């Protein structure tokens, strides 16, 4: 099996500072999270940003500060969110791509999201992908439902996406596909050959989905964006969630990838030194 890539989504857009004291609101706090999760064994960070009051922002300057803070503390692969928060415009969501992060997410279809709708029409997806091409950013395909894989194949036919790709199954969102091992197996079976994949189980399904992925040879996403608890009623830090997955991988005899090993597995051209030099000014 390939070495395990542990991605951490520490912030998200739905969490509030009232729910957990461990939410990284400032770029400095995000840099500190980057240091602790790297020490615990993570190789990639999925980035959302907040204003100082905890509200969501996709402002380019704030993402630049976050990128710099993360890079000053770690050699993690930096992956920006283009999903942002419900209600952000597609242009706002795509604007941060001008900073040329190594990777960014592309959600491959519209999905109910609690009582809201997370909108990802074909025009929205095409717009984000065109910006990714313009700035040389590799997509991670976010799959909330099985039809999202069909949408991705359609984008491939249009020449906007290439397979094999790196795919993240986000399972257990109310409105998306349930986080079950059966669903995960169905999704993995439906992947085009050569893809790498990870799974992000939502809420209490984060741990069982991670354990299934560890056994299946997939990769794992953990972090407070998807789950704030270590166990029932006990709040987690991001580093604790990583450390647990790393311990489980060790028990299984599965090595854990360093960021540069993960870059190799994901076909990322850029190496950690010099990434800053590729960052365009906002
Ligand atoms: N906050 C969700 C509406 C992504 O980061 O690309 C979308 C999201 C997906 O978190
Ligand atoms: Zn996200």
């Amino acid at each position: 099996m390939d070495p395990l890539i542990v991605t951490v989504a520490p912030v998200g857009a739905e969490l509030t500072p009232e729910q957990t004291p461990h939410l990284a609101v400032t770029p400095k706090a995000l840099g500190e999270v980057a240091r602790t999760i790297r020490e615990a064994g993570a190789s990639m960070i999925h980035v959302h940003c907040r204003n100082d009051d905890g509200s969501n922002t996709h402002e380019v300057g704030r993402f630049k500060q976050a990128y710099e803070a993360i890079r000053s503390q770690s050699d993690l692969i930096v992956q920006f969110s283009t999903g942002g928060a419900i209600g952000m415009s597609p242009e706002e969501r795509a604007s941060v791509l001008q900073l040329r992060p190594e990777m960014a997410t592309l959600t491959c279809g519209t999905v109910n999201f609690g009582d809201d709708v997370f909108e990802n029409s074909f025009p929205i997806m095409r717009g984000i992908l065109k910006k990714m091409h313009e700035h040389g950013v590799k997509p991670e395909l976010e799959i909330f439902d099985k039809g999202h894989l069909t949408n991705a194949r359609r984008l491939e036919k249009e020449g906007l996406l290439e397979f094999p790709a790196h795919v993240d199954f986000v399972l257990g969102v109310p409105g998306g596909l349930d986080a079950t091992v059966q669903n995960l197996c169905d999704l993995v079976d439906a992947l085009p050959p050569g893809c790498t994949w990870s799974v992000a189980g939502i809420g209490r399904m984060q741990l069982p989905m991670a354990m299934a992925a560890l056994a299946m040879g997939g990769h794992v996403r953990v972090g407070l964006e998807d789950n704030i608890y270590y166990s029932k009623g006990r709040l987690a830090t991001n580093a604790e969630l990583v450390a647990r997955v790393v311990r489980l991988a060790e028990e299984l005899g599965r090595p854990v990838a360093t960021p540069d090993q993960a870059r190799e597995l994901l076909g990322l051209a850029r190496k950690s030194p010099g990434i800053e030099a590729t960052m365009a000014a906002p």
Side-chain angles (χ1 to χ4, degrees):
M1 280 185 202
D2 283 336
L4 174 72
I5 299 171
V6 182
T7 299
V8 181
V11 175
E14 288 72 37
L15 260 185
T16 65
E18 290 72 40
Q19 286 174 284
T20 171
H22 304 301
L23 177 62
V25 168
T26 62
K28 187 165 181 274
L30 202 51
E32 185 55 21
V33 168
R35 187 183 62 74
T36 60
I37 61 174
R38 172 67 174 98
E39 282 170 6
S43 43
M44 173 144 60
I45 184 165
H46 167 74
V47 179
H48 289 252
C49 283
R50 303 300 182 96
N51 294 308
D52 287 345
D53 65 2
S55 59
N56 284 295
T57 179
H58 236 58
E59 205 253 314
V60 176
R62 191 72 164 179
F63 268 70
K64 186 167 190 288
Q65 288 171 359
Y67 200 140
E68 287 166 349
I70 293 164
R71 185 57 71 237
S72 74
Q73 297 288 334
S74 78
D75 58 350
L76 291 169
I77 297 171
V78 178
Q79 179 201 81
F80 283 177
S81 167
T82 68
I86 300 289
M88 282 181 181
S89 70
E91 293 73 26
E92 203 177 357
R93 286 164 49 185
S95 64
V96 296
L97 294 170
Q98 68 186 270
L99 294 172
R100 304 184 64 207
E102 292 180 274
M103 294 189 89
T105 52
L106 175 80
T107 297
C108 292
T110 295
V111 62
N112 284 308
F113 198 83
D115 288 350
D116 295 313
V117 177
F118 179 26
E119 236 189 286
N120 295 285
S121 64
F122 277 100
I124 291 175
M125 293 189 282
R126 287 185 197 111
I128 292 172
L129 278 172
K130 282 178 187 157
K131 280 252 176 288
M132 285 189 182
H133 290 307
E134 190 184 322
H135 296 296
V137 180
K138 186 179 168 80
E140 174 182 278
L141 309 182
E142 305 299 304
I143 304 297
F144 289 63
D145 221 332
K146 199 169 177 190
H148 288 188
L149 280 179
T150 314
N151 295 346
R153 296 308 292 255
R154 183 171 163 194
L155 291 164
E156 181 199 22
K157 283 203 186 81
E158 293 180 13
L160 286 168
L161 253 188
E162 272 178 26
F163 280 105
H166 183 57
V167 172
D168 181 45
F169 300 119
V170 185
L171 300 184
V173 168
L177 199 60
D178 284 338
T180 66
V181 172
Q182 185 63 59
N183 284 339
L184 182 61
C185 291
D186 289 347
L187 289 165
V188 172
D189 279 349
L191 278 179
C195 287
T196 48
W197 63 271
S198 61
V199 64
I202 302 300
R204 65 189 172 80
M205 295 314 286
Q206 186 170 81
L207 181 58
M209 288 295 100
M211 291 175 89
L214 283 174
M216 290 164 72
H219 304 283
V220 171
R221 175 171 121 172
V222 293
L224 305 189
E225 172 167 347
D226 304 327
N227 161 48
I228 60 173
Y229 292 107
Y230 189 85
S231 55
K232 196 170 161 55
R234 212 279 257 164
L235 292 168
T237 65
N238 290 289
E240 284 176 329
L241 295 172
V242 175
R244 176 164 60 187
V245 167
V246 167
R247 275 199 309 276
L248 290 166
E250 278 163 2
E251 287 291 327
L252 287 169
R254 183 138 180 227
V256 175
T258 63
D260 277 346
Q261 285 172 332
R263 286 183 176 94
E264 199 83 35
L265 287 169
L266 299 174
L268 289 168
R270 293 180 227 156
K271 292 285 179 185
S272 45
I275 284 166
E276 302 79 359
T278 70
M279 285 174 61

